[in-house]
């Protein structure tokens, strides 16, 4: 049983202070030459790099949050495309032509050219596995002067949004010289990544020749702190300026003026293995769905700092609620009859082990026998994707890549989706996903997305439980930090420490 929040500072915070001792170097505090200038920004992040900070992996979002790697396009608050390394674009059938911004240099001093853009995008398009944003997309790229033409096998209305994904960042040629992509000194952003110490830390310095002007801070010192209590303690003790993903259990014991809470497009979902094991039986998937009490998870584990799920898409996409109708075609619940299931999840998000323990009790009350397997995400992802669990609890961003949920739905639930933890292979779902992916932007696409969501929910391959809120900690001296529900921005050109 968790101790009341008000008791945590007497115990957990004390332990956490030992975990963070020496976490940020003494020079971090001193770097800031005179009164009124920003010093270096100390950031405590949740998950260590999983793929050596390769932009072709989820590590790309770290590069984006540090403002070191950039894309041709960025998204506004509504998910609409805006210029970044490309200044304009136009569509002609299957072709999209982008004009490359003039006057941009990579951190190694080489210039941004159409050929460099082609190189980066082609490597992403031909990677194995492909970045999620390119699931189901065949894409070729060619240069013509200062323009780049992206051609897809089928007409794709979302090409600009796809190119906003941090996994399609444009890097200098030097990044691709080795067997893996190395982003050190190869980006175009206001901060240059200068050093990476494995899974413990990273250092970035201000890039004085940035095309968008000079960053207000001289640099960023990043430490990867998977322990949520330790991250919260870093904010409380003044050892960190910005703290990513403050655990719900710690939010109540921090100065409320230092934390920001925003509903985000992230759903805590129980994925059920439809290919083999107990949950191959649709009636037992239905039994699991009916056994779950999401309200108790929100009130207990999340202390009210989350929203009970009505579907896979939550309040961060307000249009979804107005379009959603009751799901039809779900199987009737069967009798678990004491069958044993193994649920996997990870420790990196502090609430998930407690969610797993609560679900274990709920499913056992329904007649299942439940085993839990909990590890760090880096050590469990491959087993989850290989279908080695009967069920898996995942905190999943639903518009992480393109600002459009169709890509997430395809990745997670299409027969050929690269993140298909449920091992789902449903012709009806594939048809609905294809319709959503090809629909034009606007109302027609939103309606198709909701129809695809309903098709997935009808299979009970996934049981959405709750929608999370991002809780970020910023020290009182920090100004200009981003509070981004898509988790693409954190330290920006305007972020500084007074």
């Amino acid at each position: 049983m968790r101790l009341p929040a008000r008791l945590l500072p007497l115990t957990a915070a004390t332990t956490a202070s030992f975990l963070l001792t020496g976490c940020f170097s003494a020079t971090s505090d001193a770097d800031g030459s005179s009164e009124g200038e920003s010093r270096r920004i100390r950031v405590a992040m949740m998950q260590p790099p999983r793929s050596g900070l390769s932009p072709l992996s989820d590590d790309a979002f770290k590069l984006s949050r540090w403002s070191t790697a950039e894309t041709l396009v960025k998204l506004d608050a509504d998910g609409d495309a805006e210029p970044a390394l490309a200044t304009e674009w136009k569509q002609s059938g299957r072709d999209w032509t982008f004009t490359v911004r003039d006057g941009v240099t990579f951190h190694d001093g080489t210039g941004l050219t159409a050929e460099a853009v082609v190189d980066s995008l082609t490597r992403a398009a031909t990677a194995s596995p492909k970045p999620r944003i390119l699931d189901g997309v065949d894409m070729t790229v060619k240069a013509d002067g200062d323009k780049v033409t992206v051609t897809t096998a089928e007409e794709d209305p979302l090409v600009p949004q796809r190119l906003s994904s941090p996994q399609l960042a444009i890097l200098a040629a030097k990044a691709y010289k080795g067997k893996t992509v190395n982003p050190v000194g190869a980006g175009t952003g206001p901060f240059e990544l200068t050093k990476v110490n494995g899974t413990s830390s990273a250092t970035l310095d201000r890039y004085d020749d940035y095309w968008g002007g000079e960053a207000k801070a001289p640099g960023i010192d990043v430490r990867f702190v998977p322990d949520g209590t330790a991250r919260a303690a870093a904010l409380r003790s003044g050892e960190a300026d910005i703290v990513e993903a403050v655990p719900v259990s710690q939010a109540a014991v921090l100065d409320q003026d230092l934390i920001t809470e925003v509903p985000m497009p992230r759903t805590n979902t129980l994925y059920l293995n439809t290919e083999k094991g107990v949950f191959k039986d649709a009636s037992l998937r239905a039994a699991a769905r009916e056994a779950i009490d999401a309200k108790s998870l929100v009130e207990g584990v999340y202390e009210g700092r989350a929203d009970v799920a009505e579907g896979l898409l939550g309040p961060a996409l307000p249009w979804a609620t107005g379009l959603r109708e009751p799901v039809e075609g779900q199987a009737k619940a069967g009798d678990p009859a004491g069958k044993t299931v193994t649920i996997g999840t990870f420790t990196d998000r502090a609430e998930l082990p407690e969610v797993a323990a609560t679900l274990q009790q709920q499913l056992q009350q329904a007649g299942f026998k439940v085993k839990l397997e909990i590890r760090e995400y880096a050590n469990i992802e491959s087993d989850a994707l290989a279908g080695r669990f009967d069920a898996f609890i995942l905190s999943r961003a639903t518009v992480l890549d393109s600002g459009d949920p169709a890509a997430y739905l395809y990745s997670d639930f299409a027969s050929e989706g690269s993140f298909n933890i449920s091992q789902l292979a449903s012709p009806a779902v594939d048809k609905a996903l294809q319709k959503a992916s090809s629909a034009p932007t606007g109302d027609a696409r939103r309606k198709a997305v909701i129809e695809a969501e309903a098709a997935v929910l009808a299979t009970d391959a996934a049981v959405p439980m709750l929608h999370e809120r991002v809780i970020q900690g910023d020290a009182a001296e920090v100004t200009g930090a981003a509070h981004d529900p898509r988790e693409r921005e954190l330290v920006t050109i305007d972020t500084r420490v007074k």
Side-chain angles (χ1 to χ4, degrees), residues 373-418:
E373 191 161 337
I374 302 172
R375 314 175 208 155
E376 285 192 4
Y377 187 84
N379 298 323
I380 203 169
E381 181 189 54
S382 60
D383 284 344
L385 292 174
R388 296 194 176 101
F389 301 105
D390 297 296
F392 195 79
I393 302 168
L394 184 67
S395 173
R396 182 73 161 125
T398 57
V399 295
L400 185 65
D401 297 312
S402 67
D404 177 88
Y408 140 73
L409 290 169
Y410 189 98
S411 176
D412 285 29
F413 303 111
S415 299
E416 297 182 358
S418 66

Side-chain angles (χ1 to χ4, degrees), residues 50-285:
R50 299 198 292 266
S51 303
L53 289 177
S54 168
L56 304 182
S57 71
D58 275 350
D59 288 351
F61 292 85
K62 292 178 174 58
L63 302 177
S64 177
R65 285 167 76 74
W66 300 336
S67 292
T68 188
E70 298 179 306
T71 51
L72 287 181
V73 176
K74 62 181 181 179
L75 299 180
D76 66 12
D78 294 325
D80 294 326
E82 291 187 329
L85 293 181
T87 56
E88 59 183 3
W89 49 88
K90 62 180 180 179
Q91 181 184 13
S92 176
R94 296 185 297 114
D95 296 335
W96 285 83
T97 301
F98 296 80
T99 301
V100 177
R101 185 179 294 275
D102 187 34
V104 177
T105 58
F106 290 106
H107 295 153
D108 66 351
T110 60
L112 175 69
T113 62
E115 288 75 15
V117 172
V118 169
D119 188 26
S120 286
L121 294 182
T122 299
R123 289 177 184 274
T126 57
S128 181
K130 288 182 179 180
R132 279 193 312 267
I133 194 62
L134 296 180
D135 275 348
V137 177
D138 291 324
M139 182 180 86
T140 58
V141 193
K142 65 179 181 180
D144 182 10
D146 65 346
K147 292 178 172 54
V148 170
T149 298
V150 176
T151 303
T152 52
E154 299 179 1
E155 192 168 323
D156 185 353
L158 274 188
V159 166
Q161 281 85 351
R162 292 187 192 281
L163 295 184
S164 77
S165 170
Q167 293 183 327
L168 300 183
I170 309 302
L171 299 180
K174 65 171 287 188
Y176 306 102
K177 297 298 185 183
K179 293 183 179 179
T180 59
V181 185
N182 182 1
V184 174
T188 58
F191 294 99
E192 177 185 354
L193 180 63
T194 58
K195 188 176 182 181
V196 180
N197 294 313
T199 59
S200 62
S201 65
T203 302
L204 300 96
D205 294 332
R206 179 167 54 207
Y207 183 61
D208 293 333
D209 292 328
Y210 177 56
W211 62 268
E214 185 177 279
K216 293 183 178 178
I220 310 169
D221 295 311
V222 179
R223 296 295 181 269
F224 303 109
V225 187
D227 184 271
T229 301
R231 288 197 306 279
L235 181 66
R236 193 160 44 235
S237 66
E239 291 188 65
D241 302 308
I242 299 175
V243 174
E244 185 185 56
V246 174
V248 168
S249 62
Q250 294 294 299
V253 300
L254 291 172
D255 183 340
Q256 297 303 291
D257 290 337
L258 303 185
I259 62 174
T260 303
E261 184 176 341
V262 180
M264 64 188 308
R266 179 174 286 277
T267 303
N268 190 312
T269 301
L270 180 67
Y271 290 75
L272 301 178
N273 191 331
T274 64
E275 183 181 48
K276 60 185 178 182
V278 172
F279 292 128
K280 183 176 181 180
D281 184 335
S283 72
L284 295 183
R285 298 199 298 272

